[in-house]
Each structure stands twice: as structure tokens, then as C-alpha cells.
Amino acid sequence: MSATTEARTSPPLVVLEQRPDRIRSSIDAVRLGALGLSALVLAGFASVADATSEAANEDLAQALKGLPDLLVNALNLAGSVGALAVPLALVVRQVFRGQSRRVMEALLAGVLAIGAAIALNIAIDHAPDTALYRALTLTGPHGTTLPIDPYLAAWLALGAMSGVSAERLWRNVFIGSIGLYALAAFIATQASLLSLVASMLLGVTVGVAVRYVFGTVNERPDGARICAVLAERGLPVRRIEQMPVDRGTHRRYRAVGVGGPSMYIDVLDRDDIAAGWFYRFYRSLRVQPEVASTPDLNIERMAERRALLALAGTRVGARLPTLLAGLPCGPDTIVLAYELHETTTLTKLDHPPSEGQVRQIWESVQRLHAARISHHRLTAGRIRVDVYGNVLLPILEDGTAFASDLRIALDRAQLLATCAQLIGAKDTVRIARQIIGDEALTATVPVLQPVALSRETRQWIKQHSSLIDDLRTEIEGQSGPVTPELSRLERFRPRTVVTLVALIVASWLLIGQLGTLDLATVFRTAQWGWVPALVAASVLTYFAAGVALIGCVREYLPLMRTVVAQLAGSFIAFVLPPAVGAPAVNVRYLRKAGLTTTSAALSVGLGQVVNGLMHVVLLIVFAAAAGTATEHRLPIPGWAFIVVGALAGLAALTMALPTPRRWVLARVIPPIREALPRMLELLARPVKLVQVVGGSVSLTLAYIAALWFAVHAFNGHVDAVAVGVVYLAGGALGSLAPTPGGLGAVEAALSTGLVAAGMPTAAAVSAVLLYRVATFWLPVPSGWLAMQWLQRRDAV
């Protein structure tokens, strides 16, 4: 049969894809982020190093002063001609190529750059005494120069929007003309060095921003071009269909071959290589490199790694899609074709996977791990099942061919969470134990934490918060009672950053308060006979907290050891916010006392709920008592009503809007639902109810008594009712503060409240500081000793 007859009888190619005319390049988004960061660095340098920039201007001007006049005139002429000719040539180039829309967008970018430069010049001119103004301006023969050169900014914006960097000749001409213009402007004292750099940076930023907003013409290879390339490689295609992808992933197609295998085609486009880059970069900064590696912006290197992993995984017998071909499709695209028949993801099955299918998953992953290959993408939405019921692992994309023990443990932790989503923790642990053994399973526990899991799994855990605890409990029950400590996988936590910022603000507030006092005079007039009572009240708080915790659990807890655990919590509260540190110690203490992780967390949560309810009840009681008192009424400032009204309005608005309401209810309802059975059980056991309620009330009253003793130590004439209102309101604010022990927020709230109750400012601040020394600072060393004592007895 001739070639013509063969082409006539071959079926026509069917291409199903959504191909937009214009696309937004993800690399442009990364460029905008880098340009914004560069602008901040430049502004910071100009603000703090104005003397350095001024000296650099003088040194360079002195070095160029000796240039012959002929050369200077030639530079000025070349810069002026280039400033007019090059932008005009760029516009003409685009017009002749039929890219009239790009011309309009480039001109728009230039106009916007001029407007931005003028606005910045006006803003900077209104602050002539700042270091930034001095760094960006020069005083020459013609007066003071502009901080930003509008024409230079417009020139760079037009060039960035025109895509001049894509062609080497135009790129060199553009850079050369810009350099000549900048040199001529500096020699003529028409701009400072930083002004020229800032103008260029502004222009490029505006140009890239306009290009990202409007998008660029879609020149990526379409489905037909991809099929043609595959046919040249001996993989003819009769039908190709674009697949929907998650945000931050590349183009993907499903293709049906002509008499050959069905294919899954992954398309790596250079302009889309940075999809999801910001999130991956954030993850790589926040967690250890084994958990999330630095994102790659090189498609050749990415394609080579995927090909290597695919070949290595197939060689060891893992159930993976077979790599059929990897080939370039034009200068900016690489196509990877995998053999993939009709499959369904685990999340779309009509029923949970069978035990045999789960075993297939674990056996395939175990083969990879035996060859030191990690996968890193073992999620339920990626693992697939074919029409015969066989399981297929996801394509190896972000794995490692020389995996460390930590990477392998992370893979197993992810697979444990994935399988537990589908068949439950008990069966998952049992199957995993049979495949990998007790030792490997126990080694997974230190990394079995949300930060080590995929984004999809973390989202699922938010709705099923007990998953991790259930897995740990099952591993302890099936493989042994000893659980290793959790590994440190995070480089930093967002909470740490917030805490550090809050500590700085709190320290500033405390220093400001202390700066207004004559401490020597204040302490000379203090009545120190009240201090022993203050310390006794502080000690009583730990006994009350211990009794309240005993009332929250069914099991027997020794009183003194429980009190010591509360004292140990004061040491942890010194480095963590109050709502985080002490509860964590109590959970650990209860687990060591024989409770499961879930029971311990529920018991501690129940105690917090009861304590919060008693706090509100006491606040209402004390506020009502203060309102009916004839003396020492507690005046409420007018701004307090404004704040309360604003908070009430914000709460009403939050509950009125669907998305915020769902977000709030998703975080409020589950803890209440989990604590409700325990609260009902308390009602059926009067002794436990008395313990938890009495302990919570006694805890709050002891703190009120401590503050009242501190007030009397400084001759404060504020009755106990008013002190109670001040403490209850200040304690509520302190619990919301992200600083350890509410540092800063508690001091400010309590001292403000005492002053409002009629106490002199100096005495109020001194009383609060004495109260905080007795209840927060003094227990810290004792809490450390208590923690050491409990750890030696394996009680925490």
C-alpha cells in the first residue's frame, strides 16, 4: 500500500482541549515577587545608608570628571538618540509583526510607569528631610534632580511588556541603549545612582505587572503538535483529550494510541514551570528539606529527574506507570508520555479499597523503599485502580532516587494517613505491620504529624482531627507501648514568628510602663506584710488546677503528683502562650498515667471548657456585684462600649456571611461535640462534677485573691469585687495574647483596670508587677524543677 493510500485510510486525529488565546505566565508572578522584594531592599538601603550612596555618587562622579569633553558629548548624543530611537523601533517592530494589541499594552505600561513615577516623586518630595530623599536626589547646576526618572521608567516598562528579552539582538541593543542613557544622565548630574536603579526597577515592575494582568499570546504547543511529535517517535495517536488539573500543576492529556497503548501525557511548559512556586517555596523555608524540597525552575532538570525515577521504579517491580517517551516539543516544552490504561482514583471508587488492594499499595511502596527510592505523592487522590482491580501508584514526580531513612519514614507516614482515610486506622496499621514489620512501623511514629503530610491530607485532617491520634494509638497497641518523641520537621512555625513579634511589642509596653515610675519611692512605701498571703494564693492556684484536672478523668490520679504537673506547666507557659503550654503538659501527663491520646486530649479539653464557662459566670456575677455596690464602682470608659459594639457587629457580620460562618462553626462545633459526652458523664457523677467545677472556681478566686493582696501591698483602696472584675476581664484578654503567659497584654489590661477603679497609676502598675512576679515569674524555676522530677519518674 502506498503512503498516500495509507494516510487516506488512517483515522482522523481527534483533539479535545481548551486552548485559551492568552495565558498568564506563572514565571511572571515569581518575577513580580522578586521585584517587589528588590524594591523593599533598595528602599531600606537608601533609608539607612544615605551616606554610603552619597559617597558612591561623589566617587564615581570624580572618576568620570576627567573624561574628555568630546567623549562626554558623544555619550550624551548617543544616550539621547537611543532614548528616542530604541523605543520607537520596538513599537514599529511590533506593528510590522501584526501585534497591535501588544503595542497598545506596551504603551499602556509606559503611561502607567510615568504615572507611578510622578506619584512617587510627589510623595518623596513631601519628605525632603528623609534619608530616602537624599539618596535619590542630586543637587546640580540646574537644581535638584527628580527622585525617579519617569522617562526611564516608561522605557523599561515598554521593553518588559514587549518581550524584548526573548531575542538576543534586541536584548543587547536595549541594554546598551539603557546603559548609555543612564551614564549620560549621571555624568550630567541629572540623576543619582540609586535614582537610576529605582527608575529601572519601577519600570520593569510595571511592565511585568501589566504583562501578567493582560496575559501573553498562547504559543504553547497544542494537542495536535504534541501528537505529531509522539508520532515521530513511533507512538501515533488517534485521540487526545486534555485532563483537568489541580491548581499549581502542569498540563496533562490522556491519549489513545493507534493500535498501541493508552497514554498519560505530562507537558512541561517553560512559562508554566513556576506554577504553585510561592507555596512550594514557603514550604521549603518552613520545613526541613526532606519534607519539602526547593522548587525547581528548570524544565530540563525536572524532566530528567522524572525520567530517572520512572525507570528506576519500574525496574524494581513497583506498580507504576511505564515511561514510554520523553521528548522536546519546541524550544520551551518537554513532553513525558506514560503508558496508562483506564483507571479510577481511590477517592472516586464506589466502595473502600479491599484489603488486597491496600496490600498491593504497601508492597509496591516497600519495593521502592528497598531500592532507596522515595515517592512523596502517596495521596488517595493520586493512587489509581484499573479495571481489573489492580492498584497503580502515582507517577514519580518529586521523589528521590537516593532516599534517606527520614524520607522513607515520611513516605510511610503519608501512606498510613492515606490508607486510614479509606479503611480506618486499625486495619491500616495491621496491614502495614505485616508488610514492613514492627521496627519500621514504630520508626514512622516520630514523623506522623500533620506538617509532614501532603496538603490534601492536611485539609482532610481538619475535618477528621482524630486521625493522627488514632494511628499513633493503634501503633502503640499493635507494635508496642513505647512511642518515640516527635521529630522536629519544621524550621520555624508561624506561631513562633507571631510570638516573637508579640514579645517585642509586650517588652516595649512594659518598658514604657516602668519608665513612668520612680520604683525606689514606690517600693519604699509598700507594705510587704501582704506578700506572704500573695505567695500563698499563688500556690493555691496549682492545687485548684490539680483538683479540676482530677475531676475531668475517670481514672485515679494522685493529688500531689497532679499538682506538681500543674507547676511544671507554669515552666512551659513561660515559653508558650497560656492556651498552648499548660494543656500540652497535661495531655502528656495523662498519657503517661495510662490514658489514650484521644482520652487525654478530651479530658484536657473538657477542663478548658469548664474553666471558660466558670470564668464567664464569675465575670457576670462580679460585674453585677460591682454595679450594685455603693462605693468604689468600676467606671467603664466610653471607648469600651465602642469596642464591644464593634466586636458584636463583627461577630454578627461573620455569622451572616456563609464562608466566614462555615469557617467559625468548623472550629467551634467539633470541640464542643467532642467534650459534650464527657460533660454529660460529669452530670451523672456528682463527685467528679464537684471536683472540676470547684477546682475551676477555686482557681479563679485564688488569682483574684492574689491580685487583691498585691493591691493592698501598695495601699490600694479597691474592694475585692472591683478587683475581681479587673482580673476576670484582664485574664480574658491575656488568654488571647500570643505571648508567653500573656506577657504585656495582662500587665496593660490589669493596670488599666485598676486605674479605672480609682487606684493611682504608679501604685496600680507596681501592684500588677508584684502580682505577676508572684504568679508568673516566681513559679518558673520551681516549674523547671517539677518538670525534671516528673521526667525522672516517667510521668511526662
Side-chain angles (χ1 to χ4, degrees):
M1 183 181 293
S2 66
T4 303
T5 304
E6 185 178 11
R8 188 182 301 116
T9 58
S10 61
L13 174 65
V14 178
V15 179
L16 301 176
E17 66 176 342
Q18 293 182 348
R19 182 175 174 81
D21 295 332
R22 301 179 72 85
I23 55 175
R24 291 177 179 173
S25 173
S26 58
I27 291 184
D28 281 342
V30 176
R31 291 190 181 110
L32 277 177
L35 289 168
L37 182 62
S38 301
L40 291 176
V41 172
L42 181 64
F45 176 78
S47 298
V48 301
D50 58 319
T52 302
S53 60
E54 185 179 352
N57 286 328
E58 293 177 356
D59 292 342
L60 186 56
Q62 189 67 28
L64 297 175
K65 190 175 181 180
L67 292 178
D69 293 339
L70 181 62
L71 180 58
V72 171
N73 294 332
L75 287 175
N76 289 330
L77 179 62
S80 301
V81 173
L84 294 174
V86 173
L88 181 61
L90 285 175
V91 172
V92 173
R93 164 180 169 266
Q94 301 295 92
V95 171
F96 273 103
R97 291 185 175 185
Q99 298 175 343
S100 57
R101 176 168 176 172
R102 177 173 285 190
V103 171
M104 298 301 296
E105 291 169 351
L107 294 177
L108 175 62
V111 172
L112 291 177
I114 292 175
I118 293 174
L120 285 175
N121 286 337
I122 294 174
I124 295 173
D125 285 339
H126 276 76
D129 297 331
T130 61
L132 181 63
Y133 178 86
R134 292 192 295 271
L136 293 176
T137 57
L138 286 177
T139 302
H142 306 290
T144 304
T145 62
L146 292 173
I148 304 293
D149 187 336
Y151 186 81
L152 183 58
W155 189 357
L156 267 294
L158 187 145
M161 185 62 221
S162 301
V164 70
S165 61
E167 299 180 24
R168 183 176 181 180
L169 175 61
W170 279 99
R171 181 173 66 245
N172 292 338
V173 170
F174 192 81
I175 294 175
S177 60
I178 289 289
L180 288 174
Y181 177 87
L183 183 60
F186 182 79
I187 292 175
T189 64
Q190 295 176 355
S192 66
L193 286 176
L194 280 180
S195 173
L196 294 170
V197 174
S199 303
M200 296 179 192
L201 186 61
L202 174 63
V204 174
T205 302
V206 172
V208 173
V210 172
R211 188 171 66 196
Y212 181 75
V213 170
F214 287 97
T216 56
V217 177
N218 187 1
E219 298 178 349
R220 298 173 180 173
D222 58 5
R225 173 73 183 280
I226 293 171
C227 292
V229 173
L230 290 173
E232 294 175 359
R233 188 65 177 266
L235 296 171
V237 174
R238 61 183 175 86
R239 186 177 187 273
I240 186 169
E241 180 182 1
Q242 189 172 3
M243 300 171 59
V245 295
D246 298 330
R247 184 179 180 182
T249 54
H250 309 292
R251 283 194 296 160
R252 289 171 180 170
Y253 292 85
R254 185 184 299 277
V256 179
V258 178
S262 298
M263 288 176 286
Y264 172 94
I265 300 172
D266 202 0
V267 183
L268 306 180
D269 296 299
R270 195 179 303 277
D271 62 354
D272 199 39
I273 197 69
W277 185 88
F278 285 107
Y279 174 76
R280 296 199 302 271
F281 181 70
Y282 163 75
R283 284 278 292 175
S284 67
L285 289 179
R286 182 184 171 188
V287 299
Q288 300 295 336
E290 289 82 3
V291 182
S293 57
T294 304
D296 197 348
L297 295 179
N298 186 296
I299 62 171
E300 289 82 5
R301 190 160 49 239
M302 180 182 292
E304 290 171 357
R305 184 180 71 249
R306 294 189 181 189
L308 169 65
L309 290 171
L311 295 175
T314 304
R315 183 178 180 181
V316 300
R319 294 179 177 271
L320 289 163
T322 303
L323 179 65
L324 299 177
L327 57 158
C329 187
D332 297 317
T333 300
I334 294 179
V335 174
L336 298 175
Y338 299 85
E339 182 177 1
L340 184 63
H341 297 285
E342 189 65 30
T343 56
T344 305
T345 62
L346 292 180
T347 55
K348 295 182 179 179
L349 292 176
D350 297 332
H351 51 79
S354 65
E355 181 172 327
Q357 290 172 330
V358 175
R359 286 182 177 277
Q360 286 182 6
I361 298 173
W362 278 98
E363 288 170 355
S364 289
V365 173
Q366 182 62 11
R367 291 192 185 99
L368 292 175
H369 290 170
R372 311 305 296 184
I373 301 172
S374 64
H375 196 293
H376 200 63
R377 290 295 182 99
L378 298 170
T379 60
R382 293 175 177 269
I383 301 175
R384 313 182 76 87
V385 178
D386 64 18
V387 294
Y388 303 104
N390 296 318
V391 175
L392 203 64
L393 296 183
I395 292 173
L396 277 162
E397 297 178 355
D398 297 329
T400 307
F402 307 98
S404 62
D405 291 340
L406 177 56
R407 289 185 184 272
I408 290 176
L410 290 168
D411 256 11
R412 289 169 176 162
Q414 176 61 62
L415 191 54
L416 282 171
T418 296
C419 294
Q421 289 179 241
L422 303 169
I423 63 172
K426 183 177 180 180
D427 291 336
T428 295
V429 172
R430 176 175 56 81
I431 295 172
R433 183 170 172 243
Q434 294 171 357
I435 302 297
I436 66 176
D438 288 333
E439 183 178 353
L441 187 59
T442 304
T444 306
V445 175
V447 298
L448 191 57
Q449 42 189 303
V451 71
L453 305 178
S454 67
R455 193 175 189 176
E456 300 87 342
T457 306
R458 294 198 304 273
Q459 292 292 334
W460 194 88
I461 289 176
K462 288 182 179 180
Q463 307 298 325
H464 306 80
S465 56
S466 64
L467 176 68
I468 299 295
D469 291 337
D470 292 343
L471 283 171
R472 290 173 181 162
T473 302
E474 286 296 332
I475 293 174
E476 291 177 11
Q478 297 187 32
S479 297
V482 179
T483 303
E485 296 293 334
L486 295 181
S487 298
R488 180 65 184 271
L489 301 178
E490 295 176 292
R491 290 174 173 169
F492 69 89
R493 298 179 180 178
R495 182 191 304 151
T496 304
V497 178
V498 174
T499 301
L500 288 176
V501 173
L503 276 174
I504 294 173
V505 175
S507 301
W508 178 78
L509 291 174
L510 285 177
I511 292 173
Q513 286 181 328
L514 293 174
T516 62
L517 301 179
D518 183 0
L519 293 179
T521 303
V522 170
F523 280 93
R524 248 194 332 264
T525 60
Q527 299 182 18
W528 297 103
W530 291 95
V531 172
L534 170 58
V535 174
S538 177
V539 172
L540 182 60
T541 60
Y542 298 102
F543 280 89
V547 172
L549 182 62
I550 291 173
C552 292
V553 299
R554 307 185 191 95
E555 294 79 3
Y556 169 76
L557 294 177
L559 175 61
M560 292 309 299
R561 179 170 290 193
T562 306
V563 171
V564 173
Q566 307 315 299
L567 184 59
S570 67
F571 170 69
I572 302 300
F574 178 68
V575 294
L576 290 175
V580 178
V585 174
N586 283 332
V587 170
R588 185 70 177 172
Y589 171 70
L590 293 180
R591 289 186 62 203
K592 290 293 185 178
L595 278 72
T596 64
T597 302
T598 303
S599 298
L602 287 176
S603 298
V604 173
L606 174 62
Q608 289 183 300
V609 170
V610 174
N611 190 41
L613 290 175
M614 293 302 102
H615 193 100
V616 172
V617 170
L618 289 175
L619 179 57
I620 295 173
V621 171
F622 275 82
T628 59
T630 57
E631 295 181 356
H632 304 294
R633 288 189 177 183
L634 185 62
I636 301 177
W639 58 263
F641 292 101
I642 299 176
V643 172
V644 172
L647 292 176
L650 181 61
L653 180 62
T654 300
M655 299 308 293
L657 299 176
T659 301
R661 181 174 65 246
R662 286 193 296 268
W663 186 86
V664 171
L665 293 179
R667 282 153 179 79
V668 173
I669 299 300
I672 296 177
R673 186 183 294 120
E674 292 175 354
L676 188 59
R678 294 246 167 185
M679 296 181 69
L680 296 177
E681 184 180 346
L682 278 179
L683 296 177
R685 305 178 67 179
V687 174
K688 291 293 183 180
L689 181 61
V690 171
Q691 286 177 331
V692 65
V693 174
S696 298
V697 172
S698 300
L699 175 66
T700 303
L701 293 178
Y703 276 120
I704 293 174
L707 181 58
W708 188 75
F709 294 144
V711 167
H712 278 265
F714 289 94
N715 301 312
H717 299 289
V718 183
D719 58 32
V721 174
V723 171
V725 175
V726 170
Y727 167 77
L728 292 167
L733 292 175
S735 64
L736 298 176
T739 55
L743 186 64
V746 171
E747 287 82 0
L750 294 182
S751 58
T752 302
L754 292 177
V755 171
M759 195 172 179
T761 301
V765 173
S766 303
V768 170
L769 293 179
L770 179 61
Y771 162 78
R772 292 289 279 170
V773 167
T775 59
F776 177 67
W777 296 102
L778 193 60
V780 169
S782 302
W784 180 80
L785 294 175
M787 179 66 73
Q788 299 300 316
W789 185 83
L790 291 172
Q791 287 178 340
R792 285 196 298 269
R793 286 157 179 77
D794 195 30
V796 292

